[in-house]
Amino acid sequence: MLDLSTILAGFGDAFNLVNLFFVLAGVTLGQLIGAVPGIGPVMAMAVAIPFTFGMNALPAIAFLVGVNKGGLVGGAVPAVLINTPGTPDAAATALDGHALARQGKPEKAMKMALFSSVTGDTFSDIVLITVSPLLAVLALKMGPIEIFALMILAFSVLAGLIGDSIPKGIIAAAAGLLCAMVGLEPEHGTPRLFFGYFELYDGLPLPSVAIGMLAISEILRRLATSRSGMGATIEFKETGDPADRRVSFVEYWACRFTMLRGAVIGTFLGALPGIGSTAAAFMSYASAKQTSDDPESFGKGNLHGIAAAESANSAVVGANLIPLLTLGIPGSVSAALIISAFIIHGIQPGPLLFHQQGRLIYGLFGAMLMANVMNLLVGQFGLRLWTRVIKAPESVIFSAAILLCIVGVSMASGGLFGVAVMLVFAGLGYVMTTYGYPVVVFIIAFFLGPRFEVSLAQSLTLTRGNLFALQHNPIALVLLVCAVASIWWMGVAAPKRQQRRAAARAAEAEKDFTD
């Protein structure tokens, strides 16, 4: 365990003017980008990563965390005003937020979303700060065999939870592992799959792969489906009542149990790799509706619906870092991008991170708490401004984003070769998205590939290739059994349950029609 002096030094590093500036800049940029439908904080983080190359590690990572946190708050703005979520996480917020806005209370809806988001985010950050050091100590006791089994479990869960098909998820993971094999073989240093390009000796550049598959491919897809003369018209009748433009403490306190339940749901699901904030928001919303004394009011402007959705989707942000910092396994796309920033600055996430970079980690924790305060302050002053942002044409925004991606990748990779790799993977990401192959699984598998290969080689050496030797590693055996069980549960049992439910609904509809 870390001593108190290291913890205090880390928090002291966080609370200075330089980090305050970058956290504020990240939160402001995140809210701005999140308010534009279709972009979202993930794309903003992907574009911003190369520009953090010349920065110190703490302000760089704090800036990206600020973008991520601010993006979730900004995503609620178009969800409330024009019923078009700026991020998928805000889709549940739109159910009651837009209904409340149509009643002439858009500012009340946006402020409730802001307060609930900051509450859920702060709760998950506190859980992260208190739980992750203990998990890191446990993770240090795991050997190569246990780590290999844990990665198998992570791949199986990700393949099942992300996307609509487990076979497609497995294919995406296999493709990510294949691309991770480009360059020097980690055990013996033998070059492979470099096709005569010496630039690939160090492997495919992670910023080029991530930005190409996440940002550029999404921009191309959006531009291909965009229409001319885009822009949102926002017209709401003002009620004239000052109470309809603010959220009183009584109204906030009345939603305290809803926000607490949403924060717990978001924190729990966020700590599991691959589930994501969208699922957490809808689960929290459904739970709030089921336990409400007035479930019929949900979808008609109920503040509890906004509180449930926003507290849950924001709580995922801090919880996503739990598997990242303790095990080195990213739980979401945003966590995978934060890992990219760690690697750019020469830091390897995993259980040794708390021992080797304890001061940096607690500095990051301090920056996350500071980002929550900045989110609240910037959101209070920026909500009216962001309403104008959502009117910007997509063609202008996406063209500028493409230019920033090209400049950023060329800086991170040291030339135009990285840009060429980015464009190749942009095409691959576009094709994978079109045919339903999960890009998130590909990127996470690509990042974990070298570590997975080393763990596999070490496991084979320790067991001498004998599978029966796993009986001496009960933890690894349990993890492998869980991996097989998750594949069966999500790949075999879940489709059968869906078919039975569809058949039951069809039979009920036919019965109602005949009656």
Side-chain angles (χ1 to χ4, degrees):
M1 294 294 292
L2 297 173
D3 55 14
L4 183 60
S5 61
T6 302
I7 296 174
L8 294 178
F11 279 106
D13 291 340
F15 296 103
N16 60 51
L17 292 179
V18 175
N19 286 324
L20 176 63
F21 171 78
F22 281 107
V23 169
L24 178 61
V27 167
T28 305
L29 177 63
Q31 290 194 16
L32 176 67
I33 294 299
V36 180
I39 299 183
V42 171
M43 188 181 299
M45 291 174 65
V47 175
I49 282 177
F51 295 95
T52 65
F53 185 78
M55 299 165 56
N56 292 329
L58 180 57
I61 298 171
F63 173 73
L64 295 176
V65 171
V67 171
N68 194 21
K69 288 175 175 286
L72 291 177
V73 172
V77 174
V80 169
L81 296 179
I82 58 176
N83 201 26
T84 303
T87 60
D89 323 86
T93 307
L95 297 175
D96 281 283
H98 186 65
L100 193 61
R102 292 179 65 86
Q103 298 172 16
K105 306 174 184 178
E107 291 185 36
K108 178 186 282 289
M110 289 190 291
K111 287 182 178 179
M112 190 68 222
L114 171 65
F115 298 155
S116 304
S117 179
V118 173
T119 302
D121 203 350
T122 304
F123 177 87
S124 69
D125 287 349
I126 293 173
V127 173
L128 169 69
I129 295 171
T130 54
V131 170
S132 56
L134 301 177
L135 293 179
V137 172
L138 295 177
L140 282 173
K141 298 181 180 179
M142 299 177 64
I145 299 176
E146 288 81 7
I147 292 176
F148 171 74
L150 180 63
M151 289 188 177
I152 292 291
L153 175 61
F155 288 145
S156 64
V157 172
L158 287 169
L161 293 177
I162 300 178
D164 301 325
S165 169
I166 278 201
K168 289 184 178 180
I170 294 175
I171 291 173
L177 291 174
L178 177 63
C179 291
M181 295 175 66
V182 174
L184 298 177
E185 189 264 331
E187 193 173 10
H188 301 99
T190 304
R192 58 190 181 185
L193 300 177
F194 66 101
F195 301 105
Y197 292 96
F198 69 90
E199 294 93 342
L200 294 178
Y201 264 42
D202 292 330
L204 292 166
L206 182 58
S208 300
V209 175
I211 294 175
M213 299 197 74
L214 293 175
I216 299 295
S217 64
E218 179 64 17
I219 290 173
L220 295 178
R221 187 184 67 82
R222 296 281 299 183
L223 287 176
T225 57
S226 64
R227 300 167 296 181
S228 59
M230 301 194 69
T233 302
I234 307 171
E235 296 181 358
F236 294 117
K237 296 180 180 180
E238 293 289 340
T239 62
D241 187 356
D244 293 338
R245 295 195 297 270
R246 64 175 185 267
V247 175
S248 66
F249 180 77
V250 174
E251 291 173 320
Y252 172 83
W253 189 248
C255 298
R256 62 189 184 279
F257 294 116
T258 301
M259 289 186 289
L260 178 61
R261 180 173 52 242
V264 172
I265 292 174
T267 302
F268 177 75
L269 295 183
L272 302 177
I275 295 182
S277 51
T278 304
F282 278 100
M283 288 184 64
S284 177
Y285 184 88
S287 176
K289 184 177 181 180
Q290 291 172 357
T291 57
S292 174
D293 296 332
D294 187 17
E296 298 298 327
S297 65
F298 278 73
K300 300 177 182 178
N302 193 323
L303 287 178
H304 287 269
I306 301 174
E310 284 297 312
S311 60
N313 67 33
S314 295
V316 173
V317 176
N320 273 162
L321 297 185
I322 293 176
L324 186 152
L325 297 178
T326 58
L327 302 172
I329 297 176
S332 64
V333 181
S334 59
L337 293 176
I338 292 175
I339 277 188
S340 302
F342 274 109
I343 294 177
I344 286 176
H345 291 278
I347 302 169
Q348 179 62 48
L352 290 174
L353 189 60
F354 281 84
H355 178 70
Q356 297 173 347
Q357 300 285 344
R359 184 168 177 172
L360 172 65
I361 294 304
Y362 279 92
L364 175 60
F365 290 161
M368 293 177 70
L369 296 175
M370 190 161 50
N372 294 336
V373 178
M374 293 296 104
N375 237 341
L376 181 62
L377 298 178
V378 173
Q380 286 276 50
F381 290 101
L383 288 178
R384 295 182 180 180
L385 175 62
W386 309 146
T387 59
R388 300 179 180 272
V389 173
I390 63 177
K391 298 180 181 180
E394 286 185 343
S395 56
V396 175
I397 295 173
F398 288 151
S399 300
I402 290 176
L403 178 61
L404 289 174
C405 287
I406 293 174
V407 174
V409 168
S410 64
M411 291 173 57
S413 59
L416 293 179
F417 183 81
V419 177
V421 173
M422 177 188 72
L423 296 177
V424 170
F425 279 90
L428 177 61
Y430 185 90
V431 172
M432 289 181 64
T433 303
T434 301
Y435 289 97
Y437 290 89
V439 173
V440 178
V441 175
F442 177 95
I443 293 176
I444 293 178
F446 173 75
F447 167 75
L448 293 177
R451 188 177 178 188
F452 176 80
E453 188 175 358
V454 170
S455 298
L456 174 60
Q458 292 175 339
S459 300
L460 291 175
T461 301
L462 291 174
T463 61
R464 298 180 181 180
N466 183 14
L467 292 177
F468 294 101
L470 290 175
Q471 62 181 331
H472 302 297
N473 298 88
I475 296 178
L477 194 59
V478 170
L479 293 174
L480 291 174
V481 170
C482 291
V484 175
S486 66
I487 292 291
W488 177 85
W489 178 258
M490 292 178 287
V492 179
K496 289 183 178 179
R497 289 196 302 271
Q498 293 175 356
Q499 292 175 0
R500 288 196 296 267
R501 291 171 185 169
R505 286 194 298 266
E508 185 177 353
E510 184 179 357
K511 180 180 179 181
D512 293 340
F513 179 76
T514 55
D515 293 341

